Amino acid sequence: MSNVEKTFSIIKPNAVKKAVIGDIIKQFESEGLKVTAAKLAMISKDKCEIFYAEHKERPFFGELVEFMTSGPVLLMVLSGPNAVTKNRQIMGATDPKKADAGTIRAKHADSMGENAVHGSDSAESAKREIALFFEPYELVNA
Ligand code: IDP
Ligand code: MG
């Protein structure tokens, strides 16, 4: 059996604003990840600071929280074989200048900060992040 797992994904405000939600989801689906929970919402400043707590000492923290709370985002759970690693591959590097051609960040990032998508960096992070934004009843088993 392949390692079917869940990961947490956010389509960030710059990508929602540019109306590329469909393009991004199409890429996830065509590369083996299914959307198993989703909602469009604004993230509150308090929740965003908890979500990105690991970065709170970084110089860009204020700017990151400001950006992530500047407009609606699409919060999602993606499921599939090795979903955590697979999602990171599909997203591309944090810095769009270093992202491989064809990755979501190469196509849709506007800068290092406004880089179109978030994806969990481990199965443990995915569990924490999913629990922060979704209630158990909102999660589809797939
Ligand atoms: P990741 O999203 O690829 O996991 P992290 O290092 O966890 O990258 O950083 C979280 C987010 O913080 C990035 O996606 C990006 O939006 C923002 N960020 C990271 N480094 C910088 C920076 O040097 N300047 C501005 N924003 C940054
Ligand atoms: Mg990260």
Side-chain angles (χ1 to χ4, degrees), residues 5 7 81-91 120-121:
E5 62 181 9
T7 192
N82 304 307
V84 172
T85 304
K86 186 76 200 171
N87 182 35
R88 300 283 305 191
Q89 286 167 359
I90 298 169
M91 287 162 57
S120 308
D121 62 9

Side-chain angles (χ1 to χ4, degrees), residues 12 51-52 54-55 58 88 91 94 105 118-122 125 129:
K12 296 186 178 185
F51 175 66
Y52 276 130
E54 64 171 312
H55 297 304
R58 309 280 284 275
R88 300 283 305 191
M91 287 162 57
T94 309
R105 281 167 165 170
H118 164 83
S120 308
D121 62 9
S122 67
S125 298
E129 294 171 0

